[in-house]
Amino acid sequence: MIDQINLLRNIGQFDSVSPTADMIFTPFTLVYAENGRGKTTLASIFRSVANGDSEIVEERRRLGSAHAPHIVLSCNGQQSIFENGAWSQTVPEIVIFDDTFVSANVCSGIDLDSSHKQNLHELILGERGVVLNSELRGYVSQIEQHNVDLRLKGNAIPSVARGPFSVDAFCSLQNQQDIDIAIQEAKRRLAAAKSADTIRHRPGFVPIVLPDFNVEELDAVLGLGLADLQANAAARVRLHIENLGQGGEAWVADGMPRIAEISKDQDDTICPFCSQTLQGSELIDNYNVYFSEEYEALKTKVLQTGMGVRDTHGKDVPAAFERTIRTAAQTHEFWKDFTEIPPITVDTARIARDWKMAREAVLNQLRTKAGSLLDKEVLSKKTKEAIVNYQAHIAEIEALSTNLAVCNDQLDLVKEQAAGDDVASLNDDLIKLKATQARYEPAIAAFCDEYLAEKAAKKDTETRRKDARSALDKSRGGFFPAYETAINDYLRRLNANFKIGRVQSVNTRAGSSASYCVLVNQQEVNITAENGPSFKNTLSSGDRNTLALAFFFASLEQDSNLAQKVVVFDDPMTSLDEHRRLTTRQEMRTLSRNVSQMIVLSHSKQFLCALWDAADSNLCSAYRIGRAAVGSEIIAWDVRSDIVTEHDKRHEMVSRYIQQADPEIERKVAEALRPILEAFTRVAYPADFPPGSLLGRFVESCQRLHGSIGETLSLDDTTELRALLDYANRFHHDSNPAWETEIINDAELIDFARRTLLFASRPCMARTVI
């Protein structure tokens, strides 16, 4: 048995449906669904789990879904799961009557050809025979078609994509990961081989360096002074020199050695200008300290430090750096066609700007120091910030230089390969890679997959045909006379006015088939005749469907495993005449008592409700496939609520009152008039009178729309509806506070009752809302 549907995902109208645990399929299960909601999909799922044909499910994959179908059914206490294109286990006990059965075994529309007779032959032998004969028939035609299909499918593969490869060789190319990278590398290697001479003499990358500032050394120089010179003495010397005017310090510094030279043989210190003694002059003592060797050394140290900064960070050094960057960019431009090289993105303008700011800041502080040698100081915050900004560029350039230096090993490899590579071989490799890339493009891959699948099918066809014929011969027996009797018995019980005769097995080149004729008024009708009476012009659509039902019932009757069967009907009453629907239901109920389970899918509530009424409620369950927010869902169906509705009850009560007055129900009749009008309007004009609307407002809307393109009711109909509503409102609490005591006049009530039923039975044209 099919116990339960646990999951339907990404198939047909079912996006992701998980019915509740209490929705159990009983021995007699009814499923109602409007057309297009998914009942045929459900029948297809049952057929797929019965025969294991995954294609039946795959071809119903939900449109727009990115994922494959996933189905979970509980069958015989175990789960049958469809996932990754296959069922975990099948349920071969399931047999199905639907359009697929009719098309395969009886006819396609009004046409009956040899294939239908072949299928009927195997139907007589049983379900296994259907499979075998279908296979055999298919193999015969496939063998003749394979070569044609291979040629067509091979031609569908663009020659520009195949290049020099044949269709077989092209389709056999193996997929390669990172094919785009491989093609790029092949292009580079081919280009290198073609430019081997140029490459051999082309240098690689040279180191790129930005000089740094020694912050510690600069702070040390700025912090130097003269240890023996007191601050007040130094101040007097500087004041005196300033009074001497421009060049005063140099003049005094030049004169101090002369004093020493004149006084070296004297006991006294003599002024070289006036020959007077300088003994006891405090200013001369301060001069001696100020212009000492220590002073000259300090002055020289500051000067040399400034010159060092200028030589390291000034003059032509920035220009040389920019030339190095340009050279690196040119080198990159040359080698990028032959190997992978990191990009060079250096903002030289910004580097030059930050470099200059740092350099000028340091030099300015050294100049200040040179003018005040005795003042101790350190690099200012602003100067250090300028240095830090510049040092960020140093790190950037060091990283770039390191990466480019690593590339030099690869450039040497390119040179080595280019010297030994064969251009023709590399070109062939590139062509193969491009063909491989084209082979696995989605559009091309689809053509190739079809070609390879066709080729594999061709190889297997002869073997399968041989196996199918052998199995078919073993299954064949003397079932045909008994089957003819069973079919005609069912045709009689289904009220058919015809029967079949001369059911027999016939061997043909394409395989075994069943031959029969139709007997109408005891006259044989050649079912395949081109002219005159034949299958297509003798049997109506209802007759053909009745014949299909008879075939189906008869095949089950001959089945020795009938008690274990799960029988599924998908709209069995389609095209049946009304007088045959009752007998069809009767035969279905009889069959349900002899099988393990019967599931009936239909879009006809009337047909299903009739089956429900006659069924054992303890063995029966009913479900409905309805519209969900996304796709369809499966929910419980309260059949009783569809069999008898409140509207039906109200309508019947009013009709009965019109036929015979009954004071006991006259107030209920009056109260029922407005719901009858509302129910009619709801169905007739759903867009204009949605749930929750008031009928009075609907009438007002109709009045406003008179004479317009969107007119809902004519003027006369609107006037009539207004009159009926005015009367009906007298008996409702929301429109008349005294509704319960409103006086009822029998003649008036009968008049409005008749007019209400007449209005609610009128033909209507609901206005389309776009």
Side-chain angles (χ1 to χ4, degrees):
M1 283 182 57
I2 298 175
D3 303 318
Q4 188 178 19
I5 296 175
N6 303 106
L7 176 66
L8 298 176
R9 180 174 292 160
N10 302 324
I11 179 168
Q13 288 289 341
F14 302 107
D15 181 61
S16 182
V17 176
S18 299
T20 57
D22 60 344
M23 295 179 62
I24 305 299
F25 277 35
T26 56
F28 193 72
T29 299
L30 306 179
V31 179
Y32 166 73
E34 298 174 354
N35 285 326
R37 288 264 61 92
K39 62 180 177 57
T40 302
T41 297
L42 210 56
S44 297
I45 291 172
F46 293 152
R47 173 171 280 105
S48 178
V49 75
N51 60 26
D53 185 356
S54 62
E55 185 63 26
I56 297 175
V57 173
E58 294 291 352
E59 67 186 9
R60 288 187 173 270
R61 177 173 179 165
R62 182 165 174 77
L63 295 178
S65 173
H67 303 287
H70 184 195
I71 304 168
V72 181
L73 305 177
S74 292
C75 304
N76 301 320
Q78 298 180 328
Q79 285 192 333
S80 293
I81 302 174
F82 184 87
E83 193 171 20
N84 299 323
W87 288 98
S88 60
Q89 61 179 7
T90 60
V91 187
E93 298 85 9
I94 299 175
V95 291
I96 303 171
F97 178 84
D98 59 359
D99 288 343
T100 301
F101 175 88
V102 176
S103 178
N105 299 286
V106 183
C107 61
S108 298
I110 63 174
D111 295 323
L112 185 151
D113 55 31
S114 60
S115 65
H116 297 110
K117 293 187 288 184
Q118 291 168 351
N119 286 342
L120 178 60
H121 176 274
E122 307 313 334
L123 182 64
I124 296 173
L125 298 179
E127 188 170 340
R128 176 60 179 164
V130 173
V131 175
L132 293 176
N133 193 49
S134 177
E135 290 178 354
L136 182 60
R137 186 179 67 250
Y139 297 149
V140 172
S141 60
Q142 286 175 26
I143 292 172
E144 298 174 352
Q145 188 64 34
H146 276 316
N147 287 332
V148 175
D149 289 343
L150 283 172
R151 187 163 54 252
L152 291 175
K153 292 175 181 179
N155 292 338
I157 301 173
S159 58
V160 67
R162 291 190 288 107
F165 294 94
S166 66
V167 173
D168 285 324
F170 180 74
C171 292
S172 299
L173 291 172
Q174 297 299 308
N175 199 3
Q176 183 174 333
Q177 291 185 344
D178 301 325
I179 187 69
D180 293 335
I181 297 176
I183 290 175
Q184 182 65 25
E185 180 60 29
K187 287 181 177 178
R188 288 169 174 166
R189 191 162 178 177
L190 177 60
K194 291 180 178 179
S195 305
D197 291 338
T198 304
I199 287 175
R200 185 169 60 252
H201 300 95
R202 187 75 179 194
F205 292 99
V206 298
I208 306 175
V209 179
L210 275 177
D212 200 355
F213 290 94
N214 191 330
V215 176
E216 293 182 357
E217 180 181 343
L218 291 172
D219 277 337
V221 171
L222 293 174
L224 293 175
L226 296 179
D228 295 335
L229 187 63
Q230 295 180 354
N232 56 353
R236 287 196 298 271
V237 171
R238 285 199 296 272
L239 179 60
H240 183 71
I241 291 175
E242 289 175 1
N243 292 331
L244 294 177
Q246 186 175 2
E249 182 176 353
W251 182 76
V252 174
D254 182 63
M256 291 303 294
R258 297 179 183 276
I259 294 175
E261 179 65 25
I262 294 174
S263 304
K264 66 179 180 178
D265 296 328
Q266 305 290 331
D267 293 333
D268 197 2
T269 301
I270 304 301
C271 175
F273 305 104
C274 62
S275 299
Q276 296 184 26
T277 181
L278 297 176
Q279 192 70 29
S281 173
E282 185 177 0
L283 183 60
I284 290 299
D285 293 337
N286 292 335
Y287 277 153
N288 287 330
V289 174
Y290 189 92
F291 293 106
S292 63
E293 292 182 0
E294 185 180 357
Y295 168 83
E296 290 298 329
L298 175 58
K299 189 174 183 180
T300 301
K301 180 65 174 178
V302 173
L303 178 61
Q304 290 176 344
T305 301
M307 293 173 63
V309 170
R310 182 197 60 194
D311 294 341
T312 303
H313 297 275
K315 295 185 177 180
D316 294 333
V317 174
F321 168 75
E322 291 195 18
R323 286 195 299 273
T324 304
I325 294 297
R326 285 197 299 272
T327 300
Q330 293 168 356
T331 304
H332 178 280
E333 184 65 23
F334 175 81
W335 286 106
K336 69 179 179 61
D337 293 332
F338 309 119
T339 187
E340 187 71 27
I341 299 176
I344 298 177
T345 55
V346 178
D347 189 348
T348 55
R350 182 176 178 182
I351 293 175
R353 183 171 60 254
D354 292 345
W355 194 356
K356 180 179 180 181
M357 289 180 64
R359 180 180 67 245
E360 292 303 320
V362 170
L363 289 176
N364 285 338
Q365 282 206 244
L366 288 174
R367 293 186 187 102
T368 302
K369 175 66 176 179
S372 303
L373 290 173
L374 301 183
D375 292 340
K376 296 182 179 182
E377 54 182 281
V378 295
L379 292 173
S380 67
K381 180 180 179 181
K382 183 177 180 181
T383 301
K384 288 182 177 180
E385 288 177 353
I387 292 174
V388 168
N389 290 339
Y390 168 72
Q391 287 176 335
H393 297 301
I394 295 177
E396 175 190 350
I397 295 303
E398 286 180 352
L400 174 63
S401 183
T402 300
N403 291 337
L404 295 179
V406 171
C407 292
N408 283 333
D409 293 337
Q410 194 167 347
L411 301 186
D412 292 338
L413 178 61
V414 170
K415 292 180 179 181
E416 181 180 347
Q417 290 176 338
D421 279 338
D422 179 66
V423 173
S425 296
L426 291 176
N427 191 58
D428 290 342
D429 291 343
L430 180 58
I431 291 174
K432 184 176 181 180
L433 286 172
K434 288 183 176 180
T436 301
Q437 183 186 47
R439 160 67 177 85
Y440 290 95
E441 288 290 334
I444 304 299
F447 291 134
C448 293
D449 291 344
E450 290 181 4
Y451 180 85
L452 292 175
E454 189 69 31
K455 185 178 179 181
K458 176 184 176 182
K459 183 178 180 181
D460 294 339
T461 298
E462 290 290 347
T463 301
R464 294 188 178 188
R465 184 182 65 173
K466 179 180 178 181
D467 293 343
R469 184 177 292 279
S470 176
L472 182 61
D473 290 341
K474 292 179 181 179
S475 299
R476 185 176 298 168
F479 298 109
F480 288 86
Y483 192 71
E484 178 181 330
T485 301
I487 290 174
N488 285 326
D489 185 44
Y490 277 108
L491 288 174
R492 177 185 58 79
R493 286 146 62 179
L494 292 171
N495 292 324
N497 58 1
F498 66 93
K499 62 180 182 178
I500 65 171
R502 293 196 292 161
V503 179
Q504 57 187 336
S505 174
V506 177
N507 289 324
T508 66
R509 176 178 175 273
S512 300
S513 66
S515 174
Y516 67 94
C517 66
V518 175
L519 296 173
V520 180
N521 298 328
Q522 302 302 316
Q523 298 295 315
E524 289 189 6
V525 175
N526 186 344
I527 59 176
T528 59
E530 293 292 333
N531 300 309
S534 65
F535 184 89
K536 65 175 64 177
N537 57 34
T538 301
L539 299 184
S540 68
S541 176
D543 289 336
R544 293 192 294 272
N545 208 58
T546 300
L547 180 60
L549 275 171
F551 283 163
F552 185 74
F553 283 128
S555 66
L556 289 176
E557 184 178 294
Q558 306 298 317
D559 196 325
S560 60
N561 295 318
L562 181 61
Q564 285 75 47
K565 292 295 182 181
V566 175
V567 181
V568 179
F569 286 96
D570 181 12
D571 270 341
M573 74 297 170
T574 301
S575 300
L576 288 183
D577 298 325
E578 188 63 33
H579 69 280
R580 289 175 181 163
R581 295 195 177 194
L582 173 60
T583 56
T584 299
R585 292 196 298 268
Q586 292 172 339
E587 293 303 326
M588 290 172 64
R589 286 198 297 270
T590 300
L591 178 62
S592 69
R593 292 191 288 270
N594 298 321
V595 297
S596 174
Q597 184 182 37
M598 180 177 289
I599 300 172
V600 185
L601 312 168
S602 179
H603 72 279
S604 172
K605 284 186 178 180
Q606 182 182 8
F607 185 82
L608 294 176
C609 289
L611 284 174
W612 176 276
D613 270 345
D616 183 349
S617 60
N618 295 322
L619 301 177
C620 191
S621 60
Y623 303 103
R624 179 168 64 88
I625 303 176
R627 181 167 61 89
V630 179
S632 298
E633 62 179 352
I634 302 177
I635 56 178
W637 176 31
D638 183 2
V639 184
R640 288 295 178 187
S641 66
D642 281 311
I643 293 176
V644 180
T645 67
E646 289 299 318
H647 178 72
D648 296 332
K649 293 177 182 178
R650 286 192 293 267
H651 200 283
E652 189 276 332
M653 178 180 63
V654 174
S655 298
R656 181 158 38 88
Y657 183 82
I658 292 173
Q659 296 298 323
Q660 183 176 356
D662 184 355
E664 296 295 328
I665 65 171
E666 63 179 7
R667 187 165 296 279
K668 291 183 179 179
V669 170
E671 295 171 4
L673 298 183
R674 195 172 85 175
I676 290 174
L677 291 171
E678 289 175 340
F680 166 75
T681 309
R682 186 92 64 227
V683 174
Y685 306 101
D688 303 280
F689 190 58
S693 301
L694 298 177
L695 197 54
R697 293 181 180 176
F698 172 75
V699 173
E700 294 171 358
S701 174
C702 292
Q703 292 171 339
R704 288 194 303 271
L705 294 174
H706 283 157
S708 70
I709 192 172
E711 180 177 284
T712 306
L713 291 177
S714 67
L715 179 60
D716 291 341
D717 288 340
T718 304
T719 302
E720 175 67 1
L721 180 58
R722 178 74 266 176
L724 295 175
L725 181 60
D726 288 343
Y727 178 79
N729 281 342
R730 290 163 53 187
F731 304 98
H732 282 270
H733 65 88
D734 59 348
S735 53
N736 183 10
W739 66 282
E740 292 181 304
T741 58
E742 181 73 23
I743 296 175
I744 298 176
N745 180 278
D746 178 65
E748 184 182 37
L749 177 57
I750 290 177
D751 175 60
F752 277 100
R754 284 174 176 161
R755 289 164 62 184
T756 297
L757 294 186
L758 180 62
F759 188 89
S761 63
R762 59 188 291 280
C764 62
M765 181 70 71
R767 180 165 60 89
T768 300
V769 177
I770 299 179

